[in-house]
């Protein structure tokens, strides 16, 4: 096979070439096959064990009836899907507001001029408070508190104030992510912009932010995913969205299967979104290397 | 004779580290002054002070006879008159190179778009990069990136150009193309201050050499004299190490 390799004595080169290439490739294939086999066998045995052992538990029949009830699932799932549209709507109007307000907070925390110190102080305190309080507490306080002021319709709507609570909480997290991005841009970029005579604001707008926002996109994707789930918390102050609807069904049928349906709906959205965020992050890592 | 730029007893410290311990020299219009010296001798810091990227602690820097170190002055209009090119290019990676060049004239000088485009194209043609205008920085070689950085500084129509070891990050075979740009600029009458390790270039192109060591100018003079007949022992020792 290596007759056309003319280096060294024919016998020696043949031996070296054969050993180094083919043997190594074969060994790699063998190793890969072996690890696939091990992974398959261990996965199957774990699932088999669950499949055999769980139904042997004494309460399995009852659990199966009240959590994995196909009849109830079939009856409730379409309505649950419909209720999920409300979650999507709340998400859709909250997310852009969070992106904007979070960016404003990040810029306020980055303000360097002494005249703007109050702004910086405000943003710092704001972020401390809203990241320090559980989201559900913010939702209760704002969602019940502000309509309690006796505002006229429609300004007492839990949709408005629930969304406001989500925006206030989440923008604090998003602001910190933006800020990390802004700080990750190397000082030499600022120096280059400065040396060209660009103002502080122009430097931020044209040089720093475009790079920073792109760099923290995966991290903010993760914030969005967790927002998608936390929209369900608004159910505690009134809106009949997915979680609330599932709760209504649970009481009506005295059965937990609707909750399982709700979980499946959330997963159908969050799993693809998580994979997308992961692939974004992997791509960025690759680019930076 | 009036000087384009004069440094008078400039001092600068970072914490307890004295980087410039009283540096004075002057540059006439159209002159090319080379600063040589080992790393950490204060060359880069001095250039950053001239561009007002760093504030001096003491001394004066006169541009056309006006002190630009006055803390009450707005630094931005002065920076526009002094271009600087860095060792690591510092191009903006998220814009193509044409946008890199056009951003500052557009925002700062408010040059009309058509005029700016014509000027920018002319600059790229002059430095042999006309076919690379829509490329992004990471699609270009180091030498090409550094030439773009020079074009970007020139687009602001500066009166003085500062070059901070602009060939140090380049592969040896790419150094030549950047030095050619410097020769061209000098022949066109640009006033240039250059910190460099390229002794051959300094000797051939400079009007004056300043040898810096530990924050002071040990010796300065025309290249022929400084390279062939240095007066100071420290200069001789440095030259014997690098040449």
């Amino acid at each position: 096979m290596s007759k056309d390799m003319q280096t060294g004595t024919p016998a020696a080169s043949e031996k070296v070439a054969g050993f180094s290439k083919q043997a190594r490739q074969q060994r790699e294939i063998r190793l890969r096959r072996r690890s696939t086999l091990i992974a398959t066998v261990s996965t199957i045995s774990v699932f088999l064990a669950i499949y055999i052992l769980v139904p042997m538990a004494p309460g399995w029949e009852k659990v199966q009836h009240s959590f994995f009830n196909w009849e109830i699932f079939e009856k409730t799932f379409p309505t649950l899907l419909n209720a999920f549209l409300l979650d999507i709507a709340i998400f859709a109007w909250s997310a852009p507001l969070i992106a904007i307000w979070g960016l404003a907070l990040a810029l306020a925390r980055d303000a360097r001029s002494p005249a703007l110190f109050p702004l910086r102080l405000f943003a710092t305190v704001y972020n401390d408070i809203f990241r320090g309080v559980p989201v559900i507490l913010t939702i209760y306080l704002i969602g019940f508190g502000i309509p309690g002021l006796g505002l006229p319709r429609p300004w007492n709507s839990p949709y408005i104030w629930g969304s406001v609570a989500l925006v206030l909480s989440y923008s604090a997290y998003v602001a910190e992510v933006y800020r990390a991005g802004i700080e990750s841009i190397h000082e030499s970029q600022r120096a280059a912009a400065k040396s060209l005579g660009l103002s502080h604001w122009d430097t931020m707008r044209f040089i720093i932010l475009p790079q920073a926002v792109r760099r923290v996109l995966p991290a903010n994707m993760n914030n969005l995913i967790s927002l998608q789930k936390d929209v369900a918390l608004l159910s505690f102050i009134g809106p009949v969205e997915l979680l609330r609807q599932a709760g209504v069904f649970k009481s009506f049928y005295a059965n937990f299967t609707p909750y399982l349906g709700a979980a499946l709906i959330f997963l159908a959205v969050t799993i693809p979104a998580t994979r997308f965020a992961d692939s974004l992050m992997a791509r960025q890592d690759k680019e930076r290397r | 004779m009036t000087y384009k730029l004069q440094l008078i007893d400039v001092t600068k410290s970072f914490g307890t580290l004295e980087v410039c311990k009283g540096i004075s020299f002057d540059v006439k219009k159209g002159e090319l002054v080379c600063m040589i010296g080992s790393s950490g001798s204060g060359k880069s810091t001095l250039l950053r002070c001239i561009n007002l990227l760093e504030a001096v602690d003491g001394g004066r820097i006169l541009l056309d006879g006006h002190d630009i170190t006055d803390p009450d002055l707005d630094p931005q209009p002065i920076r526009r008159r002094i271009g600087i090119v860095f060792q690591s290019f510092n191009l903006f990676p998220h814009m193509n190179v044409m946008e890199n060049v056009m951003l500052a004239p557009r925002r700062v000088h408010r040059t009309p778009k058509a005029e700016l485009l014509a000027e920018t194209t002319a600059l790229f043609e002059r430095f042999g990069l006309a076919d690379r205008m829509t490329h992004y920085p990471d699609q270009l070689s180091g030498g090409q990136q550094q030439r773009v950085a020079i074009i970007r500084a020139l687009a602001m129509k500066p009166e003085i150009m500062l070059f901070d070891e602009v060939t140090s990050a380049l592969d040896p075979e790419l150094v030549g193309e950047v030095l050619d740009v410097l020769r061209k600029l000098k022949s066109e009458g640009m006033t240039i201050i250059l910190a460099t390790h390229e002794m051959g270039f300094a000797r051939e192109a400079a009007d004056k050499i300043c040898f810096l060591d530990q924050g002071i100018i040990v010796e300065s003079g025309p290249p022929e004299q400084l390279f062939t007949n240095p007066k100071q022992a420290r200069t001789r020792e440095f030259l014997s190490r690098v040449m």
Side-chain angles (χ1 to χ4, degrees):
Chain A
M1 51 163 290
S2 58
K3 256 183 190 158
D4 47 0
M5 290 182 70
Q6 292 301 323
T7 48
T9 61
S13 79
E14 202 163 24
K15 198 170 183 188
V16 169
F19 185 75
S20 62
K21 243 190 192 163
Q22 234 179 345
R24 200 178 301 150
Q25 269 173 6
Q26 271 175 1
R27 197 180 129 79
E28 248 166 48
I29 292 170
R30 231 176 21 241
L31 277 179
R32 214 176 305 145
R33 269 198 206 134
R34 221 180 91 186
S35 43
T36 315
L37 188 71
I38 294 175
T40 314
V41 169
S42 77
T43 310
I44 290 175
S45 41
V46 167
F47 277 99
L48 212 63
I50 293 172
Y51 185 74
I52 295 168
L53 292 179
V54 170
M56 284 166 72
W60 170 242
E61 296 240 322
K62 272 189 215 151
V63 169
Q64 191 182 22
H65 175 76
S66 54
F67 281 86
F68 302 95
N69 195 320
W70 179 248
E71 206 180 314
I72 288 174
F73 184 86
E74 252 185 330
K75 250 190 278 180
T76 58
F77 196 72
T79 318
L80 289 179
L81 262 184
N82 211 25
F84 187 59
L85 290 180
L86 181 56
D87 291 72
I88 293 176
I90 294 170
F91 173 83
W93 68 58
S94 300
L97 292 174
I98 290 167
I100 294 166
W101 182 226
L103 187 60
L105 287 166
L107 290 176
R109 280 205 70 171
D110 193 62
R112 289 179 181 192
S113 118
L116 296 178
F117 179 75
L119 204 62
R120 211 167 94 198
L121 185 70
F122 166 77
T124 310
V125 172
Y126 178 102
N127 284 3
D128 283 350
I129 289 177
F130 281 101
R131 289 195 305 156
V133 173
V135 181
I136 182 65
L137 211 57
T138 311
I139 290 173
Y140 271 135
L141 290 176
I142 291 176
F144 285 136
I146 294 186
L149 294 172
L151 299 172
R153 277 167 74 95
W155 297 108
N156 58 1
S157 154
Y159 292 91
I160 294 179
W161 297 109
S163 306
V164 166
L166 279 180
V167 170
L168 290 177
S169 273
Y170 266 80
S171 50
Y173 290 96
V174 168
E176 287 304 301
V177 169
Y178 279 139
R179 203 165 71 97
I182 289 170
E183 276 169 14
S184 78
I185 304 300
H186 198 265
E187 193 54 40
S188 62
Q189 290 280 307
R190 279 183 202 268
K194 228 178 179 183
S195 77
L196 290 167
L198 288 169
S199 66
H200 176 78
W201 172 238
D202 271 0
T203 304
M204 198 41 122
R205 180 172 155 204
F206 294 106
I207 311 300
I208 309 292
L209 276 185
Q211 296 184 62
V213 168
R214 214 169 298 179
R215 197 170 283 183
V216 296
L217 198 63
N220 269 335
M221 274 293 293
N222 283 330
N223 274 332
L224 280 184
I225 292 163
S226 88
L227 172 67
Q228 178 60 65
K229 292 180 294 170
D230 278 356
V231 166
L233 294 176
L234 292 203
S235 63
F236 291 107
I237 59 168
V240 183
E241 48 67 68
L242 177 53
L243 180 61
R244 178 79 156 201
Q245 184 62 58
V248 170
F249 280 139
K250 179 216 66 177
S251 309
F252 187 77
Y253 293 107
N255 191 293
F256 287 102
T257 306
Y259 280 144
L260 194 75
L264 288 177
I265 292 173
F266 276 117
L267 286 177
V269 172
T270 50
I271 289 181
T274 314
R275 287 294 158 273
F276 179 63
D278 285 352
S279 74
L280 269 185
M281 212 176 304
R283 201 190 309 162
Q284 278 199 351
D285 276 357
K286 223 181 189 174
E287 271 170 19
R288 224 179 291 177
R289 234 174 279 139
Chain B
M1 182 70 209
T2 53
Y3 293 109
K4 185 72 195 167
L5 187 79
Q6 269 179 293
L7 272 67
I8 302 164
D9 203 24
V10 169
T11 56
K12 174 72 187 172
S13 306
F14 294 108
T16 54
L17 182 71
E18 265 190 290
V19 187
C20 299
K21 303 174 187 165
I23 289 182
S24 305
F25 68 87
D26 35 55
V27 187
K28 290 181 203 131
K29 192 170 180 345
E31 252 186 347
L32 193 160
V33 175
C34 264
M35 297 196 289
I36 60 172
S38 46
S39 303
S41 59
K43 307 184 299 282
S44 292
T45 305
L46 200 60
L47 290 178
R48 292 173 68 91
C49 285
I50 297 173
N51 193 245
L52 305 182
L53 285 172
E54 305 282 356
V56 298
D57 296 335
R60 305 201 296 156
I61 298 174
L62 306 183
L63 178 64
D64 285 333
H66 300 289
D67 191 350
I68 58 171
T69 59
D70 181 351
D72 291 335
L73 279 179
D74 179 6
Q76 268 153 23
I78 298 162
R79 287 201 194 103
R80 288 166 208 161
R81 299 170 60 190
I82 306 174
I84 187 166
V85 182
F86 304 93
Q87 176 177 349
S88 51
F89 328 141
N90 299 2
L91 294 178
F92 307 130
H94 59 298
M95 307 174 176
N96 70 32
V97 296
M98 186 172 71
E99 291 161 344
N100 260 275
V101 171
M102 295 193 349
L103 176 65
R106 181 161 62 83
R107 297 299 302 172
V108 178
H109 289 327
R110 303 276 168 190
T111 316
K113 210 168 179 185
E115 191 185 321
L116 182 58
L117 194 64
E119 281 178 13
T120 307
T121 313
L123 272 173
F124 274 95
E125 274 166 4
R126 208 168 109 203
F127 295 104
L129 287 169
D131 56 338
R132 296 282 187 277
M133 283 175 70
T134 53
H135 285 53
Y136 281 79
D138 62 3
Q139 297 170 317
L140 300 181
S141 74
Q144 290 170 334
Q145 289 188 52
Q146 193 57 293
R147 276 147 69 199
V148 171
I150 295 173
I151 292 174
R152 184 175 69 178
L154 288 175
M156 289 301 285
K157 304 195 173 85
E159 300 159 31
I160 301 180
M161 285 284 284
L162 313 176
F163 292 91
D164 186 6
E165 299 192 14
V166 286
T167 56
S168 300
L170 297 178
D171 291 335
E173 73 268 25
L174 301 177
V175 168
E177 61 184 82
V178 172
L179 294 183
D180 283 341
V181 171
L182 292 181
R183 286 191 194 95
K184 198 166 183 175
L185 284 179
K186 178 177 160 52
S187 72
E188 290 165 0
M190 178 61 78
T191 309
I192 296 171
I193 306 175
L194 174 76
T196 189
H197 292 300
E198 296 290 327
M199 295 305 151
F201 178 78
R203 186 167 184 168
E204 158 219 322
D207 296 299
K208 185 163 77 177
I209 310 277
C210 298
F211 168 58
L212 273 79
D213 190 34
Q214 295 176 9
I216 58 163
I217 295 186
V218 176
E219 186 170 354
S220 71
E224 225 25 65
Q225 181 234 308
L226 195 124
F227 279 110
T228 52
N229 190 17
K231 293 197 179 71
Q232 302 292 327
R234 272 150 85 183
T235 317
R236 276 198 292 277
E237 195 220 338
F238 173 74
L239 289 176
S240 72
R241 262 190 293 132
V242 297
M243 294 188 72

